[in-house]
Amino acid sequence: SSWVVSHPDVSPVALLALLTKYSRNEPFITNGVEYIFRQRTSAGLWNSFWWNSFLYSTNANLSLLDALGASVETDGMLATLLDFTPCNAFEAALQLECMSFTNSPSEGPRICQLVEQLLREQEPDGSWKSKPILRITKRDCFEPWDAPDPGLQFADPNRLFTTSTIVEALSKLQQSR
């Protein structure tokens, strides 16, 4: 089953959790980091198994590599990120976070556009609407990013995950300035 193998959107999150207790020199950490580098696409991004966007996985992997102080070439990735149009506020927040790892002056106008989009889309109660973002990938599908029908997608009905992702992205941006 595809549900019991490593995935490029789960492994970096697990490794970040393990780093709270273990050294980065532990074999299971170094093996995990080698795995995520092997999963990187030619565009410098990572595909997502459980999410319908490469942005979740890319952000998770960049967060891990940043925590490790690892050097990552971001030129190809930045070009893709600058050209990408998010389909919803969740993607806009993840795109904003991914761009923050590139440290490129060319991203400034795009970052401003994303922030303005997020502020415009905020609901009166402080939350953001959720669109179908989480994919329950079929058990026999190992590469949902290439499959025509990889599985059902679900929204975040209480908007908790969507809103917390957006608040985190805006907070990180504010802290970096």
Side-chain angles (χ1 to χ4, degrees), residues 17-29:
L18 289 169
L19 284 172
T20 64
K21 181 167 172 74
Y22 298 100
S23 161
R24 67 180 62 201
N25 298 322
E26 293 285 348
F28 52 86
I29 301 287

Side-chain angles (χ1 to χ4, degrees), residues 3-141:
W3 287 18
V4 297
V5 297
S6 297
H7 300 295
D9 51 352
V10 176
S11 293
V13 177
L15 290 168
L16 273 169
L18 289 169
L19 284 172
T20 64
K21 181 167 172 74
Y22 298 100
S23 161
R24 67 180 62 201
N25 298 322
E26 293 285 348
F28 52 86
I29 301 287
T30 57
N31 290 341
V33 171
E34 289 172 12
Y35 164 79
I36 67 161
F37 273 115
R38 287 192 309 272
Q39 299 306 305
R40 199 167 186 205
T41 69
S42 59
L45 306 164
W46 284 267
N47 292 310
S48 291
F49 183 83
W50 295 107
W51 302 91
N52 67 359
S53 174
F54 69 90
L55 292 167
Y56 181 89
S57 188
T58 298
N59 184 57
N61 281 285
L62 291 173
S63 295
L64 170 66
L65 296 172
D66 183 62
L68 291 169
S71 175
V72 181
E73 190 282 311
T74 59
D75 291 343
M77 178 181 64
L78 180 61
T80 302
L81 291 171
L82 288 171
D83 288 340
F84 183 78
T85 301
C87 296
N88 51 61
F90 181 73
E91 281 190 341
L94 291 171
Q95 183 179 11
L96 185 64
E97 278 200 73
C98 289
M99 291 175 68
S100 72
F101 291 106
T102 66
N103 298 320
S104 170
S106 65
E107 69 191 6
R110 185 67 184 124
I111 286 176
C112 289
Q113 290 172 342
L114 291 168
V115 169
E116 289 171 11
Q117 174 187 345
L118 291 171
L119 295 177
R120 267 192 324 273
E121 293 180 12
Q122 188 175 23
E123 294 293 302
D125 68 359
S127 70
W128 281 263
K129 289 183 181 173
S130 177
K131 304 290 184 189
I133 55 175
L134 176 64
R135 175 176 46 229
I136 305 300
T137 305
K138 294 177 180 176
R139 290 178 183 265
D140 63 348
C141 181

